[in-house]
Amino acid sequence: MRRTAECPSCGAPVQFAWSGAVQTACPYCHSILVRHDVNLEKVGITADLPPDASPIQLFTEGVFDNRRFTVIGRIRYEWEQGGWNEWHLLFQDQTSGWLSDAQAEYAISFLVAPPAPLPPPDQLAPGQLLQISGAPFYVTHLTRVRYVGFEGELPFTTADRSEFLTADLRTFDARFATIDYSEQPPLLFAGRFVEFDELRLANLREFEGW
Amino acid sequence: MVTQNRVPAPRPLSCPNCGGRIELRGFAHTRTAVCIQCCTVLDTSTPELRILQRFDEAMRVRPLIPLGTRGTLQGKKWEVIGFQVRAIRVDGVPYSWHEYLLFNPYAGFRYLTHYDGHWNFVSTVRALPAFTSFRGRKAAVLEGRTYRHFQTATATTTFVMGEFPWAVRVGETVTAEDYIAPPWILSSESDGKEINWSRGIYLTGAEIWKAFSLPGSPPQAQGVYANQPNPYADGMRRAWRTFAVLALLWVAALAAHWALSSNRELFRGSYHFAANTPGEHSLVTNVFTVPGDGNVEVQIRTDLDNNWAYFHLALLAEDGSRGFDFGREVSYYHGRDSDGSWSEGRRSAAATLARVPAGRYYLRIEPEMDAQASFGSPAGMSMNYEIIVRHDTPRPWLFLLALPLLLIPAVVRSFKAIGMETARWSESDYGTSVGISGDEE
């Protein structure tokens, strides 16, 4: 079921797949639109995303833990050694999650409430142990992340995301978590690494020659 | 919409150094490409193709699987898009191996390593390995499997070709550690800042040749590779299982033999012998019946004490149709010296006649003792003795002979399996074949 609003900039109909979406882009005039209750506010113009080689695109569908999802948005980030996508997923039950895709290594995560206040970034170092929902997570990387662009629907605005720090954590059983320091208090995303085949993805991009 | 539904094949680049054509296969993942003509390493993430490095063409190595070759491994299609040669030094001797970068636009990147005819299909590991020890040596546990530490070395990239999703350079070094659980190998690479883990599974050249439909035949595998499966290990396990089954049968057969032997006493008689008694020293026993074909055991029990005797014996058929001549020495000595008390020999002896036909028999017995000693001693040499004749006694010696024969296949296979493990570990940090320890750290 899709809701439709009018683009405040060009008047074109803007559809929402998810009632919780906070930011989207007008597919016609590329305005960045932030939703306030029923009104849309134009806060800028989307920048072109650099070409990337992800097989995933908006409206790609898949299955995670027996729950169907649709890709409804994407944020592109860069760090010193390359870029990656965070695909915003809308599950059947209207909850949202993330599929991260870094050079075709995939992980699914969800925003979770931290069990305890998360340490500030200057108190984190690789190798450090944090207990998250009863499991030991070890800090593996601290990464300075640069926001590149977005498309589709997001659960937050990208206004404060130009550059921020993230901490990646892993476990002995291929689970992972990310602490996102773009907000205060920081956000915690937790999930696990997945194999491409496991997600049974449909509506993928095609690659010439493949 | 920024994304295209169909991703066009990457356009070839023109080398800013030599103008040569550089094929691209990794789509937008590629961050480094190497000009195949002039060995210039280019940064493809910059529009002007910044030159990262030029290296000596003389270093050129031909990959056995050409760039652009596609093959199917573990049910997925992969294209070779990059190739590098890396080397370690052990005791000053350089060892180099080849690494192929494989790409599938959906499943991402894998690696194929090749050393001396041994191949590994390698994937990145997402879970954290836990460290432990195994038989006193370093080990790592990943997803329930224990990997034993094999080698730590400094690996240097000596040649690159093709394209990579990260920045590669010739001369780059990492600290590489290998842990093995054949056919698996768990490896870490550390540049001092971060550690990356990967896991490989051993493949033969034949499997690679088939997967990539390569012409000719793969290079022969030399020696034993770190995570090469031990083909004798299964044979060894099977042989020991077979042995266990046979040993159980052996015990059962022995027990049955024991139970089925009647071990019946046919005759018993007690006698006294004195060497100084003049005249004939031989005697004959009463006649007894051997009830069926089978063995007959004659037991001699004496009261000899620091002395010896020899018994000439003959089992004779009453009707004179046949006879069995045999003899037994009995000697028993004991005493005490600086080492304590000692004894040698036994007071009794036995002789078994393997096949005696049923019938009526008697024994002729002729004991003999030391004649010289008999003359020297006032009382002369004498002893009491008892003769017991039994029929169908258990004979376990055949079984005892069979047991080591049953062991032979298991022992042979174990030697082969252990031999292979010895060859494997001789190449490790724990090897004995390497004279001087050459840790380069």
Side-chain angles (χ1 to χ4, degrees):
Chain A
M1 191 188 66
R2 303 203 159 190
R3 273 159 259 257
T4 308
E6 217 169 70
C7 173
S9 180
C10 71
V14 179
Q15 291 197 324
F16 284 92
W18 184 40
S19 57
V22 168
Q23 177 176 303
T24 189
C26 171
Y28 302 95
C29 68
H30 306 295
S31 297
I32 301 171
L33 305 175
V34 173
R35 201 159 80 164
H36 307 282
D37 294 330
V38 291
N39 300 321
L40 292 178
E41 182 200 356
K42 176 180 174 177
V43 297
I45 293 286
T46 59
D48 274 352
L49 288 169
D52 83 319
S54 175
I56 298 163
Q57 59 185 344
L58 286 185
F59 310 119
T60 289
E61 292 177 350
V63 180
F64 177 73
D65 285 348
N66 293 316
R67 292 161 68 210
R68 302 202 60 83
F69 64 78
T70 305
V71 173
I72 60 164
R74 166 207 197 186
I75 303 187
R76 176 83 186 170
Y77 291 121
E78 272 179 6
W79 63 303
E80 55 167 340
Q81 292 186 31
W84 82 96
N85 297 306
E86 293 286 349
W87 297 97
H88 184 209
L89 310 181
L90 175 62
F91 284 87
Q92 260 174 331
D93 58 4
Q94 296 295 302
T95 56
S96 97
W98 297 91
L99 167 56
S100 97
D101 158 26
Q103 287 172 342
E105 287 205 7
Y106 305 98
I108 293 231
S109 64
F110 301 92
L111 180 65
V112 294
L118 294 166
D122 56 4
Q123 285 178 28
L124 279 184
Q128 195 172 329
L129 168 72
L130 292 186
Q131 287 288 339
I132 298 172
S133 41
F137 280 74
Y138 290 87
V139 177
T140 53
H141 297 92
L142 291 169
T143 312
R144 186 142 291 279
V145 172
R146 199 169 67 80
Y147 163 79
V148 178
F150 87 104
E151 60 178 331
E153 296 172 37
L154 299 180
F156 44 65
T157 71
T158 55
D160 302 327
R161 293 191 163 254
S162 61
E163 198 171 302
F164 59 100
L165 200 78
T166 64
D168 286 338
L169 299 95
R170 293 193 184 192
T171 65
F172 296 126
D173 58 358
R175 280 186 284 171
F176 96 106
T178 299
I179 304 173
D180 173 334
Y181 288 100
S182 69
E183 294 188 17
Q184 195 47 251
L187 305 173
L188 177 64
F189 296 90
R192 64 175 166 85
F193 292 95
V194 287
E195 293 297 329
F196 177 80
D197 290 337
E198 170 184 353
L199 296 175
R200 297 179 359 229
L201 297 173
N203 189 23
L204 290 168
R205 290 211 290 174
E206 287 171 19
F207 291 84
E208 192 181 339
W210 283 84
Chain B
M1 192 81 47
V2 180
T3 52
Q4 295 150 291
N5 194 27
R6 189 174 163 79
V7 187
R11 281 206 302 274
L13 303 174
S14 179
C15 174
N17 184 48
C18 74
R21 182 183 155 100
I22 304 172
E23 293 290 345
L24 290 183
R25 303 175 175 92
F27 296 92
H29 290 301
T30 299
R31 279 175 55 88
T32 311
V34 184
C35 175
I36 203 163
Q37 289 86 8
C38 67
C39 294
T40 298
V41 184
L42 303 170
D43 180 353
T44 59
S45 65
T46 57
E48 73 280 9
L49 300 176
R50 192 160 58 92
I51 293 176
L52 296 173
Q53 189 182 37
R54 286 196 194 99
F55 63 89
D56 189 356
E57 283 180 61
M59 300 290 290
R60 195 185 287 269
V61 178
R62 266 180 89 85
L64 293 176
I65 313 175
L67 294 179
T69 307
R70 288 190 186 178
T72 305
L73 277 173
Q74 294 186 350
K76 271 218 148 38
K77 194 181 271 186
W78 303 100
E79 181 168 341
V80 176
I81 70 164
F83 171 73
Q84 56 179 337
V85 181
R86 304 172 84 193
I88 58 168
R89 259 169 196 286
V90 177
D91 299 337
V93 182
Y95 294 89
S96 67
W97 71 94
H98 295 177
E99 280 185 16
Y100 296 85
L101 177 64
L102 307 180
F103 173 66
N104 170 303
Y106 300 98
F109 296 92
R110 300 290 186 279
Y111 312 87
L112 203 55
T113 64
H114 172 225
Y115 175 77
D116 256 3
H118 303 278
W119 298 78
N120 267 291
F121 182 58
V122 180
S123 320
T124 303
V125 164
R126 279 88 170 261
L128 285 174
F131 293 97
T132 175
S133 74
F134 184 86
R135 293 185 193 154
R137 290 177 190 172
K138 204 157 55 147
V141 178
L142 183 75
E143 286 162 355
R145 189 178 284 123
T146 302
Y147 295 77
R148 300 166 67 185
H149 178 254
F150 192 80
Q151 190 171 59
T152 300
T154 303
T156 307
T157 305
T158 58
F159 177 76
V160 291
M161 186 187 266
E163 53 196 288
F164 298 86
W166 65 85
V168 288
R169 297 274 205 296
V170 167
E172 254 173 356
T173 62
V174 292
T175 300
E177 287 205 311
D178 288 328
Y179 297 77
I180 60 159
W184 300 97
I185 187 163
L186 181 66
S187 307
S188 76
E189 278 182 18
S190 166
D191 61 0
K193 280 185 293 184
E194 64 176 56
I195 298 181
N196 288 306
W197 289 89
S198 62
R199 177 175 44 197
I201 184 161
Y202 186 88
L203 295 174
T204 62
E207 288 169 300
I208 298 299
W209 251 237
K210 187 164 175 275
F212 289 89
S213 309
L214 296 171
S217 49
Q220 194 77 35
Q222 305 295 317
V224 177
Y225 193 66
N227 65 325
Q228 185 176 358
N230 189 330
Y232 305 114
D234 275 351
M236 179 182 82
R237 268 190 292 276
R238 267 200 306 278
W240 280 109
R241 260 200 299 275
T242 307
F243 170 76
V245 170
L246 290 176
L248 277 176
L249 289 174
W250 180 87
V251 168
L254 184 61
H257 171 72
W258 216 279
L260 292 173
S261 300
S262 63
N263 200 19
R264 203 167 111 198
E265 190 178 304
L266 303 180
F267 171 84
R268 185 186 284 257
S270 297
Y271 307 94
H272 179 77
F273 171 78
N276 286 353
T277 314
E280 182 63 52
H281 284 147
S282 71
L283 63 93
V284 295
T285 66
N286 291 334
V287 171
F288 49 86
T289 303
V290 174
D293 291 0
N295 69 37
V296 167
E297 185 196 69
V298 178
Q299 240 183 70
I300 309 159
R301 292 178 183 169
T302 71
D303 62 354
L304 289 171
D305 192 34
N306 282 325
N307 210 339
W308 67 266
Y310 189 85
F311 291 81
H312 299 273
L313 295 157
L315 179 69
L316 300 163
E318 190 187 22
D319 60 8
S321 60
R322 56 187 149 260
F324 302 88
D325 275 313
F326 54 102
R328 281 291 178 275
E329 187 184 286
V330 183
S331 73
Y332 179 68
Y333 292 90
H334 61 93
R336 175 172 278 280
D337 62 15
S338 56
D339 292 335
S341 58
W342 58 269
S343 74
E344 197 183 303
R346 295 177 60 202
R347 284 196 169 103
S348 58
T352 303
L353 304 167
R355 247 180 224 113
V356 176
R360 290 171 58 74
Y361 293 86
Y362 63 93
L363 271 177
R364 197 169 68 83
I365 307 163
E366 186 182 356
E368 183 187 326
M369 292 182 84
D370 194 331
Q372 295 284 320
S374 284
F375 290 125
S377 129
M381 290 285 152
S382 73
M383 64 174 169
N384 295 303
Y385 65 95
E386 189 179 25
I387 298 287
I388 303 151
V389 180
R390 286 174 194 279
H391 175 244
D392 195 18
T393 57
R395 309 299 302 152
W397 65 270
L398 251 178
F399 288 88
L400 294 174
L401 208 68
L403 195 61
L405 290 176
L406 294 181
L407 267 171
I408 287 172
V411 168
V412 167
R413 287 199 164 83
S414 300
F415 268 109
K416 281 185 175 173
I418 291 163
M420 176 151 176
E421 289 309 309
T422 308
R424 180 201 308 285
W425 286 97
S426 71
E427 296 296 320
S428 77
D429 287 354
Y430 310 97
T432 46
S433 72
V434 181
I436 315 143
S437 163
D439 211 326
E440 295 204 351
E441 278 161 294

